[in-house]
């Protein structure tokens, strides 16, 4: 019979276990729940910062920052609302510095700022509310660009894509705004959930959605401004047509005729959308801009093909659609653009909504055009 292990061994083992348990424990301090959505659509936000002198809530449903109050444990809080049901970005302003909510895993993907997201569903499901319906698949993929390296792209395939292996689908290329990322359309715009719901209701055709990264980085600097700037348009066009589209058509069962291709985008990505869609009528029959970025002095240059022959443009496009909010900073220039389209007799549909340059409007615009595409 072997000798029992020495007491010193057991003590060392016990100390190691205790140290690992200590490391695994959450940090000390009070438990903080944030955000907390109440049944009446009011929302309480909380932030633990015992040493902070001033904390405010910045939320897109508020016109100005809301002061927060600190309790004895150092937790700052404010309750606001009732808030109109939707999904909104927000952040905390802590002694003048903007920070995301550390207690909330729902983050707004963006290169220019970091906000958190609060989803206020209300009593009636919204078009972007996750429901008990068949769900499609969201895939994170990479494709290769000789000039730009490994490029990220998020791809949505509709319910049934994996089981029905013979069906080919129409494809929507969906572009994000300046400083957004390839994830923003699913994480903030809820593109996959919107399509799941509309397809389940028979209101939208099953389609594949391709959501690429919209800046031609590293050839184009991340500090170079809007995605619709000319240099980015040229580099992005080369990558889009030469690398992204071939990758999609080689790896997914997409229909390859122009009537089965749509392109849409928000803000700077909306500027990219109009430039690519209107100047390549042999590739896209459906072109939709969501508060598209533009400058008046760029109208003729960026719309050269469409403006050169309006009658042919009308014949080639099945849908040319523009949406913008009345309070959007781009509303005046987009209104001028719509007047030019009228003068040239280029057919288009418009939706002038309430609100500003927001992803709340993006969800509205996507849910609107999704019911029109490929019909």
């Amino acid at each position: 019979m072997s000798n029992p292990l020495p007491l010193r061994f057991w003590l060392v083992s016990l100390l190691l276990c205790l140290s690992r348990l200590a490391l695994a424990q959450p940090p000390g301090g009070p438990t903080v729940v944030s955000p907390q959505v109440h049944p009446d659509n009011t929302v309480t936000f909380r932030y633990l910062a015992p040493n902070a002198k001033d904390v405010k809530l910045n939320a897109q449903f508020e016109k100005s920052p809301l002061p927060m109050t600190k309790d004895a444990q150092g937790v700052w809080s404010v309750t606001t609302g009732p808030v109109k049901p939707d999904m909104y970005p927000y952040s905390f302003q802590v002694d003048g510095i903007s920070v995301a909510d550390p207690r909330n895993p729902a983050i707004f993907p963006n290169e220019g700022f970091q906000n958190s997201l609060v989803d206020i569903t209300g009593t009636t499901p919204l078009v972007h509310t996750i429901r008990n319906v068949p769900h499609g698949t969201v895939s994170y993929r990479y494709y290769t660009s000789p000039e730009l390296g490994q490029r990220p792209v998020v791809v949505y395939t509709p319910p049934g894509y994996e089981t029905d292996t013979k069906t080919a689908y129409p494809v929507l290329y969906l572009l994000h705004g300046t400083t957004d990322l390839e994830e923003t359309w699913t994480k903030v715009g809820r593109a996959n959930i919107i399509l799941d719901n509309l397809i389940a209701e028979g209101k939208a055709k099953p389609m594949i959605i391709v959501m690429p990264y919209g800046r031609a980085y590293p050839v184009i600097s991340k500090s170079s401004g809007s995605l619709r700037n000319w240099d980015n348009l040229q580099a992005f066009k080369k990558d889009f047509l030469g690398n992204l589209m071939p990758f999609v058509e080689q790896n997914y069962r997409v229909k390859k005729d122009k009537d089965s291709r749509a392109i849409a985008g928000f803000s700077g990505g909306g500027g990219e959308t109009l430039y690519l869609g209107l100047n390549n009528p042999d590739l896209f029959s459906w072109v939709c801009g969501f508060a598209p970025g533009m400058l008046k002095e760029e109208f003729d240059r960026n719309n050269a093909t469409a403006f050169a022959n309006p009658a042919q443009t009308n014949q080639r496009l099945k849908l040319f659609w523009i949406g913008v909010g009345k309070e959007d900073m781009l509303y005046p220039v987009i209104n001028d653009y719509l007047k030019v389209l009228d003068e040239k007799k280029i057919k288009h549909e418009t939706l002038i909504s309430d609100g500003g340059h927001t992803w709340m409007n993006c969800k509205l615009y996507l849910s609107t055009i999704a019911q029109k595409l490929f019909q």
Side-chain angles (χ1 to χ4, degrees), residues 299-314:
F299 285 177
D300 290 334
R301 182 192 69 184
N302 288 15
N303 296 266
T305 302
F307 285 5
N309 193 332
Q312 190 176 63
T313 298
N314 291 335

Side-chain angles (χ1 to χ4, degrees), residues 35-354:
Q36 184 177 7
V37 181
H38 305 290
D40 62 353
N41 293 340
T42 59
V43 188
T44 299
F45 297 88
R46 299 180 178 92
Y47 185 77
L48 176 62
N51 298 322
K53 293 180 173 56
D54 179 69
V55 180
K56 295 183 176 70
L57 170 72
N58 277 321
Q60 209 156 56
F61 50 78
E62 296 288 350
K63 293 184 178 180
S64 58
L66 294 182
M68 300 175 71
T69 303
K70 184 170 67 170
D71 66 14
Q73 293 182 300
V75 177
W76 297 77
S77 66
V78 65
T79 299
T80 185
V83 180
K84 179 183 176 182
D86 209 322
M87 188 166 68
Y88 300 91
Y90 73 94
S91 63
F92 297 121
Q93 186 176 313
V94 184
D95 291 338
I97 299 173
S98 180
V99 298
D101 188 342
R103 309 291 172 158
N104 183 357
I107 294 294
F108 189 131
N110 192 279
E111 293 179 326
F113 59 83
Q114 192 173 68
N115 280 358
S116 299
L117 296 166
V118 58
D119 192 4
I120 302 163
T121 58
T123 55
T124 303
L126 304 174
V127 71
H128 64 265
T129 301
I130 300 174
R131 306 178 198 170
N132 184 19
V133 299
H135 295 292
T137 301
V138 175
S139 301
Y140 285 69
R141 302 293 303 271
Y142 290 89
Y143 66 95
T144 301
S145 164
E147 296 80 17
L148 306 178
Q150 295 300 306
R151 298 278 291 171
V153 58
V154 176
V155 181
Y156 165 83
T157 50
Y161 178 86
E162 289 88 352
T163 54
D164 180 4
T165 58
K166 295 181 179 179
T167 299
Y169 296 86
V171 57
L172 165 62
Y173 289 88
L174 188 57
L175 310 182
H176 59 73
T178 300
T179 76
D180 293 324
L181 297 169
E182 67 281 355
E183 291 185 292
T184 311
W185 261 114
T186 51
K187 294 291 183 65
V188 187
R190 288 280 181 95
N192 54 315
I193 304 303
I194 289 172
L195 264 294
D196 287 345
N197 291 335
L198 292 177
I199 291 170
E201 294 174 2
K203 294 180 179 179
K205 295 282 188 182
M207 67 185 77
I208 291 172
I209 305 179
V210 178
M211 295 158 275
Y213 178 52
R215 191 177 297 281
Y217 178 82
V219 171
I220 303 299
S221 166
K222 293 186 179 183
S223 61
S224 63
S226 175
L227 299 179
R228 49 133 278 279
N229 287 349
W230 187 250
D231 289 346
N232 190 67
L233 287 180
Q234 302 316 298
F236 183 70
K237 174 185 175 181
K238 183 178 180 180
D239 177 60
F240 189 101
L241 301 180
N243 302 311
L244 175 63
M245 286 184 62
F247 170 82
V248 170
E249 296 183 353
Q250 289 165 14
N251 288 276
Y252 291 90
R253 296 191 312 276
V254 296
K255 295 180 179 179
K256 300 178 183 179
D257 61 287
K258 76 182 190 71
D259 288 349
S260 300
R261 288 196 202 99
I263 186 168
F266 171 50
S267 192
E272 290 178 321
T273 290
L274 300 192
Y275 178 73
L276 288 172
L278 297 179
N279 289 306
N280 293 280
D282 55 327
L283 295 179
F284 301 99
S285 291
W286 316 79
V287 180
C288 305
F290 305 159
M294 58 179 67
L295 296 175
K296 196 169 184 177
E297 57 268 29
E298 297 172 349
F299 285 177
D300 290 334
R301 182 192 69 184
N302 288 15
N303 296 266
T305 302
F307 285 5
N309 193 332
Q312 190 176 63
T313 298
N314 291 335
Q315 184 180 18
R316 288 178 169 179
L317 289 177
K318 288 186 174 293
L319 177 66
F320 180 22
W321 190 96
I322 302 286
V324 66
K326 296 173 186 175
E327 299 171 34
D328 197 307
M329 58 192 175
L330 294 178
Y331 177 75
V333 67
I334 291 173
N335 194 44
D336 288 338
Y337 179 71
L338 297 175
K339 291 177 182 177
V340 172
L341 296 181
D342 289 337
E343 291 168 2
K344 295 182 179 295
K345 295 182 170 57
I346 294 177
K347 296 178 182 177
H348 59 281
E349 294 184 21
T350 60
L351 173 58
I352 309 300
S353 66
D354 292 329

